[in-house]
Structure formats: C-alpha cells, structure tokens
Amino acid sequence: METKRNEARAGLLYGIGAYGMWGLVPLFWPLVKPAGAIEILAHRMVWSLAVVGLALLALRRWGWIRELVRSPRKLALITVAATVISVNWGLYIWAVNDGRVVEASLGYFINPLVTIALGVLVLKERLRRAQWIAVGVGFAAVVVLAVGAGRPPWVSLTLAFSFGLYGLVKKQVNIGSLESLAAETAVQFLPALAYLLWLGNSGSLAFGAHGVGHAALLASTGLVTAIPLICFGAAAIRVPLSTLGLLQYLAPIFQFLLGVAYFHEAMPPERWAGFSLVWLALTILSWDALRTARRSRAAVEAAKAEAETAAVTESEAVGEASMPPLGSSEALSTPSAQPGR
C-alpha cells in the first residue's frame, strides 16, 4: 500500500513538472531571437531527435521500430501526426515571439472542448448532457472573443484544432510517448535539416552567428521538447486519467498568467468575458469528468463486492452438497458424528 501511495505521489509530481514546464516555455522562446520561428522550429525538430535517440539508446528500447516499419498504416499516421504537430509547434513559437501569449493560452484552454467535438464528429462518440453544455458555452466564448476583437481568434483555434487532431491520430497509432516523439521527429528530421542547410547557404542562418550561448540555446530546444514529454509519460502510468485531465489546465493557466503579468498583454473587457466563459465551460467539463469517474469507481467496487459475495455463496453451497446426509453410514463413521470416540 505504501509503495502504491509513493508511486501515486511521484506520478503527481511528474505531471505537475510536465505541465509546469509546458506552461513556462513562453519564457524560453524569446531567448532564441533573432532566429525566426521557422528556424527555431527546425532546430527543435533536429535536436529533439538527437535527445530522444540518446534516451532510447540508454533505455535500449528499439523493438517498436520493427513493428512500426512493418505497418504502413501506422507509418502514415505517424507522418500525419508529425505534420500536424509541426503546425502546432511553429505557430506557438511565432505567437509567443509576436506578443500573443494570452491568445496562445486560449488555444490550450479550449483544446479539451475541441477534443470532445472531434470525438463526436470523427469517432461518433455520444456526449453526456454536461459535455454538450460545456461545448456550447465554449462556442459562445469563441463568438464573444471574435466579436470583441473584430476577427476570429485564429491563432487559438489553429492551436486547439491542430493539437486536438494530433491527439486523435496518436490514439490510433497507440505507441509510447517517447517512441512516438522519436518517430515523429525522424519524419521531420530531413526537411528540417534541409531548411537549416538552405539558410546556411543563403547566409540567413542564426545558429552560430550570435555567439556560442545563442547556439547552445538553439541546441537546447531538444531538451525543452523532450524533458516535459518524458515527465508526462512517467505521470501517465502512475496517476488516474481524471487526475491527468485536471493537471493539463496548469499549462494554459501559467501561459495566461505570464501573458498578463510578465509580458503585459492587453486584456480588454470583451477578452475577460470570453475567457470567463471558457473557464466556465472547463469547470462544467471537470465537474462532469470527476462525477463520472467517481460513479465508475463505485460501480466497479459494487461489482467486485457482488462477485465476492457470489463466490462465497457458491463455495458454501458446494460445501453443503458434499456433506453426507445425517443418519447415513458415512456420516456415522466420521469423528464429528461420534463425539465420544
């Protein structure tokens, strides 16, 4: 029991670490300026493969590669995942360095609602009433933000839908987080390396042109990508999915706070109204998820108790059936039937 409790505590810390790092990453991307968003993205792809490759080498986890190569469907899905996450990464880096941290945080706030919508549209899932209400409130929030800004929040929506599609594709591939990142960055590696070589030939490459420190920061984009993902993988196997679902809100909360308090981005009343609606939708969604998880646990415990009761009853019935009837010669010959013997 103590070991299980320690594992759960470690999983919680890993989860907080993963989402905390993702939430604080807007502090990192401005450090690698004047490199452009596409060059930063290319470095992230190249150096992530190097970091993940070393991690897999240390763990000696290579068996999944043979299985992946033998499955054209999985290879196609990995390629789609790599493309979608490239859009997500690139847009997020650009948004942060363009002073749109709050708008980017909105994308990850509404991502759970987009994931639910994709489940309905693509996987034909049926929603509970509370989930429908949450999606409706989230849609109203997007309308309020669009009317207030005079345009749809396209950065937020693109980030939310690209990450939602990424999660949908990853669910179909069904391989570990570290292995998945290795496969995706392997797909990204050659185009990213070709782009960096092209920048170098044209004299536009920022890597190495602004000192050793700047070059080291660009190289460390691999660590910035891989370390939170490794922590997330460690959390995912130790804590319930409901807990992980609640922890995911840490990242956009940190991003939002950084955008408002550190980067001093504007928050007019209509933006506060839109964010308030999004937070209301997420509150409804979280309440519904916790209630459903609690009911599921209660149902499992009730079924377990019923099965144990049935097993005891069956055992007693078998025992009674195996006893000889009183008065039979077999019964009279047993010590219990002849107390004085």
Side-chain angles (χ1 to χ4, degrees), residues 30 74 126 265 299:
K74 283 192 174 184
R126 297 180 64 182
E265 295 184 17

Side-chain angles (χ1 to χ4, degrees), residues 53-180:
L54 289 173
L56 290 174
L57 187 63
L59 296 171
R60 297 182 180 180
R61 281 159 55 176
W62 302 106
W64 58 274
I65 296 177
R66 190 180 299 108
E67 180 186 348
L68 182 62
V69 170
R70 290 176 178 174
S71 174
R73 178 178 176 274
K74 283 192 174 184
L75 281 174
L77 289 171
I78 284 289
T79 303
V80 172
T83 302
V84 172
I85 201 61
S86 297
V87 172
N88 184 274
W89 285 356
L91 181 59
Y92 182 75
I93 293 167
W94 173 83
V96 170
N97 287 349
D98 195 55
R100 300 183 181 216
V101 176
V102 170
E103 195 171 351
S105 75
L106 176 64
Y108 294 106
F109 272 126
I110 65 177
N111 173 248
L113 302 173
V114 169
T115 300
I116 288 174
L118 288 173
V120 173
L121 296 173
V122 180
L123 302 179
K124 308 302 181 185
E125 294 178 351
R126 297 180 64 182
L127 298 188
R128 296 181 293 274
R129 181 180 299 178
Q131 291 175 313
W132 277 117
I133 293 172
V135 171
V137 173
F139 180 77
V142 172
V143 171
V144 168
L145 290 165
V147 171
R151 58 174 175 78
W154 67 271
V155 170
S156 307
L157 292 174
T158 305
L159 287 173
F161 274 94
S162 59
F163 202 71
L165 286 171
Y166 176 67
L168 182 65
V169 173
K170 292 252 294 185
K171 186 174 182 180
Q172 307 300 315
V173 177
N174 193 28
I175 63 174
S177 57
L178 194 63
E179 292 85 349
S180 179

Side-chain angles (χ1 to χ4, degrees), residues 264-320:
H264 304 293
E265 295 184 17
M267 282 294 294
E270 60 272 15
R271 182 174 264 192
W272 278 114
F275 269 86
S276 298
L277 285 172
V278 169
W279 294 332
L280 174 61
L282 295 179
T283 301
I284 295 170
L285 202 61
S286 301
W287 169 78
D288 178 69
L290 289 172
R291 183 186 62 169
T292 303
R294 192 158 47 242
R295 285 180 175 176
S296 298
R297 282 196 300 270
V300 169
E301 290 173 2
K304 187 178 178 181
E306 186 177 343
E308 290 175 352
T309 302
V312 170
T313 304
E314 183 179 352
S315 176
E316 291 175 349
V318 170
E320 290 176 0

